[in-house]
């Protein structure tokens, strides 16, 4: 394994090139996950990919996984700070499949719901459906997306050391740290992902290259 420093701009270009080189790019709809805790800023990387993909003729739609959390009655059934519930119950995999990922299968409608529920109000966002054209790219971002059997053409994991994760997680959210430790142990996302990027310092990412 080699770890190669890379600038943020070059990282987005490299990832866009990797997406553009996927089988069927430009003709079929592709599903790309940017996996990582909020401290690794997966949403920022997903946003940064939109324009480089557009310039390559690949219209992109970013869908944050935070718009597909289960109702509070399920998420908080074991309390507001239960790390195991955060790991196991918060993400509504079924809704993600039904409303986002399955419609992008070959022969699918391409009709995507960009968000289902506002996690702050626990109400429907009433977001309208969006039509992703053939050749379009879905960018799904959020924590703990791997190991869930989600159908993806490419997965990118943003990795943080335990010390960096703790340092960059706000005090009021540090109850989630055991969930990320469990994710690392049970899912080993750096091995499950197609690409891994170390983000201990987002200004100086490093690409992890496996032989």
């Amino acid at each position: 394994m080699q770890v190669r420093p890379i600038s943020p701009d070059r990282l987005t270009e490299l990832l866009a090139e990797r997406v553009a080189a996927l089988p069927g790019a430009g003709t079929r709809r592709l599903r790309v996950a940017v996996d990582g805790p909020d401290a690794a800023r997966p949403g920022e990387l997903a946003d940064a990919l939109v324009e480089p993909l557009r310039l390559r003729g690949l219209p992109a739609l970013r869908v944050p996984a935070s718009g597909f959390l289960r109702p509070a009655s399920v998420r908080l059934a074991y309390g507001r700070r239960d790390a195991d519930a955060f790991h196991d119950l918060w993400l509504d995999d079924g809704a993600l499949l039904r409303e986002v990922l399955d419609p992008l299968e070959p022969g699918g409608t391409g009709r995507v719901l960009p968000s289902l529920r506002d996690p702050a109000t626990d109400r429907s966002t009433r977001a309208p459906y969006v039509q992703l054209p053939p050749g379009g790219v879905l960018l799904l971002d959020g924590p703990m997306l791997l190991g869930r059997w989600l159908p993806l053409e490419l997965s990118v994991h943003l990795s943080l050391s335990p010390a960096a994760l703790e340092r960059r997680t706000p005090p009021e959210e540090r109850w989630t740290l055991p969930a990320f430790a469990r994710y690392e142990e049970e899912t080993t996302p750096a091995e499950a992902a197609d690409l891994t990027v170390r983000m201990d310092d987002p200004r100086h990412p490093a690409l992890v290259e496996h032989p």
Side-chain angles (χ1 to χ4, degrees):
M1 180 181 71
Q2 293 183 333
V3 180
R4 175 166 61 93
I6 188 170
S7 71
D9 288 344
R10 179 57 189 144
L11 175 62
T12 56
E13 288 296 316
L14 182 148
L15 293 178
E17 290 167 8
R18 181 68 181 265
V19 173
L22 289 170
T27 57
R28 63 162 294 187
R29 301 176 180 97
L30 301 174
R31 296 158 295 189
V32 176
V34 182
D35 170 70
D38 289 348
R41 304 178 184 175
E44 290 185 14
L45 180 55
D47 272 339
L49 279 169
V50 171
E51 182 63 10
L53 289 172
R54 186 190 67 80
L55 292 174
R56 288 166 172 80
L58 305 174
L61 172 66
R62 179 194 165 203
V63 173
S66 58
F68 288 86
L69 301 186
R70 288 192 169 95
S73 59
V74 177
R75 299 197 317 268
L76 309 180
Y78 299 95
R80 292 186 173 274
R81 296 192 170 193
D82 188 283
D84 285 330
F86 180 65
H87 181 282
D88 296 336
L89 300 177
W90 279 43
L91 185 64
D92 193 339
D93 312 58
L96 260 181
L97 287 167
R98 181 180 68 251
E99 302 289 0
V100 180
L101 299 172
D102 285 349
L104 304 183
E105 291 281 354
T109 64
R111 191 168 176 260
V112 172
L113 187 67
S115 64
L116 176 65
R117 182 175 291 105
D118 185 327
T121 65
D122 200 38
R123 296 179 179 177
S124 169
T125 61
R126 301 185 182 276
Y129 283 87
V130 175
Q131 189 70 34
L132 189 66
V137 179
L138 173 82
L139 298 168
L140 174 68
D141 63 89
M144 297 185 288
L145 297 175
L146 305 180
R148 296 177 178 272
W149 303 102
L150 299 177
L152 302 166
E153 279 66 58
L154 184 71
S155 56
V156 181
H157 173 61
L158 305 185
S159 172
L160 290 172
S161 69
L165 178 59
E166 182 173 4
R167 183 174 66 250
R168 293 176 51 200
T169 298
E172 65 273 15
E173 296 177 10
R174 286 181 182 164
W175 62 271
T176 64
L177 295 178
F180 288 109
R182 182 180 160 197
Y183 182 59
E184 288 290 333
E185 180 179 354
E186 296 181 5
T187 303
T188 56
E191 297 177 13
D194 296 304
L195 290 168
T196 297
V197 182
R198 290 190 179 173
M199 296 289 280
D200 285 2
D201 183 345
R203 299 168 299 177
H204 304 286
L207 187 66
V208 179
E209 298 177 322
H210 297 279

